[in-house]
Amino acid sequence: MLKFSPKVFLFDMDGVIFDSMPYHARSWHLAFKSEGIEFSEYAVYLQEGATGSKTVNDVFMAQKGRLATQEEINRIYANKCRNFEQCGEPKPMPVMDKVLELLLANGKTVGLVTGSGQKSLFTTLNKYYPGIFVPERMVTAFDVKKGKPDPEPYLMGLQKCGVSASEAVVVENAPMGVQAAKAAGIFTIAVNTGILDSLCLRDAGADVVFDSVTALLDFLTKSI
Ligand code: MG
């Protein structure tokens, strides 16, 4: 068996590091509902990884045939963020601490690449994963112009970790995140931690799809 020996693992955050997608799904659904726009929780999962403004614009284009105004984007995104804060603190993704432990014990470097601009999550990150994700190896909504599915966030992640695409692996849970990572030329592991059909992740271009974090841990334990 070939040794699986990337130097760097770039992790997506929502739905990978944190079990936060149910909160995001509900928060977006309610924020659009208060504008009289139907946006299902399943649709939120499909949209995951995009920046807040892209999500608002995509929904407007699909349902109103026009882009949202800056005022509409600001209002809906602020409303979504308020709803999210009210959901309480997201819990860490079960078993992910074991995955990170295993990687670090094997001398791997870990980075974080997220489309999130939720400030509270960064505090929570340090609470549950102290010292693992450092700002020098983190890319957030504040760092990028385009966001996933554009390769920009993952290209920046590679740059921050000082490696080329062939030396890294991405761990993602969302179709747009997988597209972004593949567009950056990186081997991409998808872990289906949510409500989507796993086929969405395969179709997005994932090299491997696992149905649980436990399955990912088993694979890594045998192969790194
Ligand atoms: Mg995600």
Side-chain angles (χ1 to χ4, degrees), residues 20 27 33 51 66 90 94 98 105 108 113 134 155 176 180 202:
S20 45
S27 303
K33 196 176 175 188
T51 59
R66 66 166 175 90
K98 299 277 187 298
K108 308 298 179 188
V113 177
V134 294
L155 291 174
M176 280 195 204
R202 258 180 233 292

Side-chain angles (χ1 to χ4, degrees), residues 12 14-16 48 172-174:
D12 169 53
D14 288 301
V16 172
E48 196 209 330
E172 262 288 351
N173 72 310

Side-chain angles (χ1 to χ4, degrees), residues 192 196-205 209:
N192 192 4
L196 293 180
D197 189 320
S198 287
L199 213 57
C200 300
L201 297 164
R202 258 180 233 292
D203 288 348
V209 181

Side-chain angles (χ1 to χ4, degrees), residues 145-189:
K145 286 195 180 72
K146 293 175 190 156
K148 303 170 188 177
D150 192 275
E152 186 190 11
Y154 279 112
L155 291 174
M156 196 177 283
L158 291 175
Q159 197 180 19
K160 283 198 169 192
C161 293
V163 290
S164 63
S166 62
E167 297 170 299
V169 164
V170 164
V171 183
E172 262 288 351
N173 72 310
M176 280 195 204
V178 170
Q179 285 170 23
K182 289 308 295 174
I186 310 172
F187 186 92
T188 305
I189 296 174

